[in-house]
């Protein structure tokens, strides 16, 4: 039995072992983003790399904001106590100019990246945690618990997202926004908007899988309910969450900017926020003062573009119907890697081509053509 199942090999031939070693995947190559980078080709790979570069850039800016920004987010005076000029054009002292309140535009834009990243992390983590738990419980147990949670989720989802975020921001912050209070208020207000999306996704997957054979087997062997929920259902129902996470992150940026633009976001003395800066620059644009609106607006566009490109690429790569195929050269290369001896195959191909060329000059059909002719005659 062992000899029948073993792979026949030639003594001294280690090419099969080398091929297995070459195709062996490491733990690093199985990570979510790295795995998609290995599979992606063509435009998909370009979109994914571009999105990752933009996201990594803003993440680094957010982390090293105190080192990058020359001034504080609410600083209106220099070290000598002299106030900054208002609405000053870009210069050596203020490379992106100043606002109507005397804030440095470059510093406000850099510090705004940190506010955006923190709000995204708070909103996404809280919404995923709450939405996944509620989806697991609702989909697995069903009954009146499922009906009540579905009605609540549908009621929350039926509200306009920005209006709901405004109401939650007012209820949480109470009109007063400190540094972390304003960030948490904005993040939690966005969290309420996105909980129903994760809830619906997880609930639908759990309902589909809870009657599967492997779940029935777990019940038969006496596995506790908590183990079934966490070990089996949770692991197999969260495959689409990275796609939803990236798309919701870009929407969270726009919601945060909308709150700030409408005056329900973070106060300027508490933290830098791009939406508030755009609100204060509306009157500047009509007066020809463009720098107070361009740079915060470009920052919003770039970070949303980066997150959206990553989300769309992950969505395409998760669907085999949308996944791009390898080029002909890559397919040929993979075949050559698994061939017995590529050099001998190349020599044999040259010999066949030479024989056919010589036969064509002599007016005789090649071996393959002669065989085809005999088959036609028969």
């Amino acid at each position: 039995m062992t000899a029948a199942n073993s792979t026949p090999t030639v003594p001294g031939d280690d090419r099969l072992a080398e091929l297995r070693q070459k195709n062996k995947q490491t733990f690093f190559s199985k990570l979510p983003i790295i795995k998609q980078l290995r599979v992606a080709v063509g435009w998909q790979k370009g979109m994914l790399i571009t999105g990752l570069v933009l996201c990594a850039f803003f993440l680094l800016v957010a982390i090293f904001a105190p080192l990058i920004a020359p001034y504080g987010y609410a600083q209106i005076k220099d070290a000598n106590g002299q106030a900054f000029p208002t609405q000053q054009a870009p210069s050596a002292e203020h490379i992106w100019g100043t606002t109507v309140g005397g804030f440095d535009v470059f510093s406000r834009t850099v510090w705004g990246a940190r506010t955006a990243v923190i709000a995204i992390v708070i909103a996404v983590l809280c919404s995923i945690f709450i939405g996944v738990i509620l989806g697991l419980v609702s989909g697995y147990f069903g009954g009146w618990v499922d009906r009540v949670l579905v009605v609540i989720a549908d009621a929350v989802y039926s509200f306009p997202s920005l209006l709901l975020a405004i109401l939650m921001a007012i209820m949480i912050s109470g009109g007063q926004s400190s540094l972390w209070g304003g960030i948490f208020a904005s993040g939690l207000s966005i969290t309420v908007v996105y909980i129903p999306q994760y809830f619906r996704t997880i609930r639908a997957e759990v309902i589909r899988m809870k009657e599967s054979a492997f779940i029935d087997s777990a019940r038969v062997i006496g596995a506790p309910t908590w183990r079934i929920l966490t070990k089996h259902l949770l692991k197999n129902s969260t495959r689409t969450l990275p796609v939803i996470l990236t798309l919701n992150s870009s929407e969270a940026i726009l919601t945060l900017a909308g709150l700030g633009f409408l005056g329900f976001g973070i106060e300027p003395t508490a933290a830098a926020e791009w939406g508030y800066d755009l609100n204060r620059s509306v009157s500047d644009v009509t007066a020809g003062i463009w720098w107070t609106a361009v740079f915060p607006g470009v920052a919003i566009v770039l970070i949303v573009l980066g997150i959206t490109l990553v989300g769309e690429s992950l969505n395409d790569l998760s669907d085999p119907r949308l996944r791009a195929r390898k080029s002909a050269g890559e397919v040929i290369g993979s075949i050559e890697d698994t061939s017995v001896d590529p050099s001998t195959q190349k020599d044999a191909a040259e010999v066949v081509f030479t024989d056919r060329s010589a036969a064509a000059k002599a007016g005789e059909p090649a071996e393959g053509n002669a065989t085809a002719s005999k088959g036609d005659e028969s």
Side-chain angles (χ1 to χ4, degrees), residues 20-92:
R20 290 176 177 174
Q21 186 68 23
K22 179 181 178 181
N23 295 333
K24 186 178 180 181
Q25 294 184 353
T26 61
F27 173 78
F28 182 74
S29 63
K30 295 180 181 179
L31 296 177
I33 299 299
I34 303 300
K35 182 179 179 180
Q36 273 74 25
L37 281 174
R38 291 168 58 89
V39 176
V41 294
W43 282 102
Q44 289 177 350
K45 191 169 188 177
M47 289 171 55
L48 184 57
I49 293 177
T50 303
L52 290 176
V53 169
L54 289 174
C55 294
F57 171 76
F58 280 99
L59 183 60
L60 292 176
V61 170
I63 294 174
F64 299 103
L67 302 177
I68 299 175
Y71 308 105
Y73 55 83
Q75 185 175 350
I76 57 176
K77 296 181 181 180
D78 57 14
N80 299 324
Q82 185 177 359
F84 294 151
T86 59
Q87 297 179 329
Q88 181 183 1
S91 61

Side-chain angles (χ1 to χ4, degrees), residues 204-222:
E205 291 292 327
V206 170
I207 291 177
R208 182 181 63 85
M209 291 187 302
K210 71 177 183 178
E211 301 299 335
S212 301
F214 69 96
I215 299 297
D216 293 336
S217 301
R219 294 195 191 101
V220 168
I221 64 176

Side-chain angles (χ1 to χ4, degrees), residues 232-246:
H232 302 289
L233 292 176
L234 178 62
K235 183 178 180 181
N236 292 280
S237 62
T238 56
R239 296 178 181 178
T240 59
L241 286 188
V243 179
I244 304 176
L245 185 148
T246 53

Side-chain angles (χ1 to χ4, degrees), residues 20 39 59 73 86 95 103 125 137 170 239 246 261 277 292 352:
R20 290 176 177 174
V39 176
L59 183 60
Y73 55 83
T86 59
I95 57 175
F103 299 114
L125 290 182
V137 173
I170 295 175
R239 296 178 181 178
T246 53
F261 186 82
D277 294 341
T292 58
V352 172

